[in-house]
Amino acid sequence: MADATEVKTPKVPRSPLLSRPGAVPAEGVDEGVAAHYGDIFREQAALADGTGLVDLSHRGVITVTGSDRLAWLHLLITQHVTDLPPGQATEALILSANGHIEYGLSLVDDGETVWVHVEPGTQGALIDYLESMKFFYRVEVADRTGDIALVHLPAGSLAPAPDGVVVVRETPYGRDLFLPRADLEAYATEHGPLAGMLAYEALRVEAHRPRVGFETDHRTIPHELGLIGTAVHLQKGCYRGQETVARVQNLGKPPRRLVFLHLDGSEVHLPGPGTPLTLAKDGDGGRQLGFVTTSARHYELGPIALALVKRNVPVDAELLAGNTAAAQETVVEP
């Protein structure tokens, strides 16, 4: 199986909202929806105030049905879901045998079906894996990306879920609506304003929320990103990669940790993903201590980023992201 942390180009319909005035298409993994609609900071401020919506219709949508769906998923993922109440949102991971993150799942059960959304383009490989693990369990797995679109409403939004909505995931960061793709344009018209992926990502970075394929590489373990207790339940039965999770939790420390960076606002260009981090006192030719994973321009905080650094990097160390000065805030304790 291909490395699931390698972000793939989605093969989903181009969003009709890209025809809206001012819409600028996103690139890379988020291709197919808008990067912004003409005013990045206004869009961020609207989301922060609980208004507007984000088109996430490029994300993969998977359903799991059948009487064994929760018991079966419980065996495969890092989350405890055997008694998951209908309507309760949760997060989960699928790990490799060595405990490295392969997939991130955002899921909710409606009483008959588990609805999952995943990173764009990863649903095909994930479904292949799930199909290979069905054995004698009474479950059916389906790719619903072609007919179901995801819309994000920010925390505090008063916009209603439409009558035709399939299911809603209620989280501390807002609501994820699974609605028929054919209804996307009409819903956006009624409940805008629209905000693009750049605004959504800036608020994600501000909230220190890691994204699989962005804050992960081929060797990332959950402890490095602070996902123990949120996406990883420590009091549940066996699943693939559990040995690594338990060993690091009980006997050791992860080799890296997630940090939040305040970047020098005088620089014209943001340091992109993969930009090396060094100690400021050593200059940009110093020993690499980590790398930027996501950077963004925030409407209030200015340039910010998430990054992975070696665990033993002092929490008060001044860093350079390439040539850009970076002050760190602790997300995961060393």
Side-chain angles (χ1 to χ4, degrees):
M1 185 177 67
D3 182 355
T5 63
E6 294 178 0
V7 180
K8 304 175 184 178
T9 302
K11 294 182 180 180
V12 297
R14 174 184 166 93
S15 173
L17 303 185
L18 282 172
S19 64
R20 296 300 175 91
V24 174
E27 299 178 347
V29 68
D30 291 323
E31 181 183 356
V33 295
H36 63 87
Y37 295 90
D39 192 335
I40 299 169
F41 293 151
R42 178 191 59 76
E43 294 166 29
Q44 285 184 41
L47 292 179
D49 287 341
T51 60
L53 59 88
V54 182
D55 175 11
L56 298 180
S57 62
H58 62 316
R59 287 185 64 83
V61 176
I62 297 171
T63 57
V64 182
T65 55
S67 58
D68 293 336
R69 66 190 183 281
L70 291 176
W72 175 68
L73 281 172
H74 184 81
L75 299 174
L76 304 178
I77 64 178
T78 58
Q79 190 58 269
H80 196 300
V81 295
T82 51
D83 301 313
L84 184 68
Q88 180 174 310
T90 193
E91 304 284 339
L93 305 171
I94 290 180
L95 306 179
S96 72
N98 293 322
H100 301 137
I101 296 173
E102 290 194 339
Y103 300 99
L105 289 71
S106 300
L107 56 90
V108 64
D109 185 79
D110 66 6
E112 296 181 350
T113 301
V114 177
W115 292 85
V116 183
H117 67 80
V118 297
E119 286 298 324
T122 65
Q123 66 272 15
L126 175 54
I127 289 173
D128 288 344
Y129 169 71
L130 294 175
E131 289 285 352
S132 74
M133 301 299 292
K134 285 170 66 172
F135 304 116
F136 56 85
Y137 287 92
R138 294 167 293 183
V139 293
E140 295 295 332
V141 181
D143 184 352
R144 300 295 303 276
T145 311
D147 65 303
I148 299 295
L150 193 73
V151 168
H152 175 76
L153 302 178
S157 172
L158 299 178
D163 291 339
V165 71
V166 178
V167 70
V168 178
R169 286 188 72 251
E170 187 89 36
T171 78
Y173 305 101
R175 288 177 287 162
D176 296 335
L177 307 184
F178 294 76
L179 72 161
R181 190 169 288 274
D183 296 344
L184 173 61
E185 192 164 13
Y187 185 76
T189 298
E190 187 172 356
H191 300 294
L194 296 172
M197 288 302 300
L198 291 179
Y200 181 81
E201 286 288 279
L203 297 186
R204 177 182 71 81
V205 172
E206 178 195 15
H208 306 166
R209 296 172 58 203
R211 182 175 173 187
V212 172
F214 287 66
E215 279 62 57
T216 64
D217 58 19
H218 66 283
R219 59 192 180 97
T220 306
I221 61 175
H223 310 72
E224 295 177 325
L225 303 184
L227 296 176
I228 303 299
T230 55
V232 179
H233 195 290
L234 293 176
Q235 279 74 50
K236 63 160 289 185
C238 293
Y239 54 88
R240 190 173 69 176
Q242 185 196 23
E243 294 83 359
T244 298
V245 170
R247 183 169 63 251
V248 175
Q249 184 70 19
N250 296 323
L251 301 176
K253 294 283 189 177
R256 303 177 297 182
R257 60 186 179 88
L258 186 70
V259 297
F260 175 79
L261 301 177
H262 291 275
L263 302 172
D264 181 359
S266 65
E267 297 290 338
V268 175
H269 300 290
L270 288 173
T275 300
L277 294 173
T278 59
L279 290 176
K281 65 182 181 64
D282 295 338
D284 60 359
R287 182 169 62 94
Q288 183 172 343
L289 303 174
F291 56 92
V292 172
T293 57
T294 306
S295 57
R297 295 191 186 277
H298 192 275
Y299 77 109
E300 288 184 334
L301 300 177
I304 57 176
L306 291 174
L308 279 174
V309 300
K310 294 181 178 180
R311 178 173 57 86
N312 59 2
V313 173
V315 296
D316 59 350
E318 292 293 325
L319 303 175
L320 283 178
N323 295 313
T324 302
Q328 56 171 319
E329 286 185 12
T330 300
V331 177
V332 175
E333 294 290 338

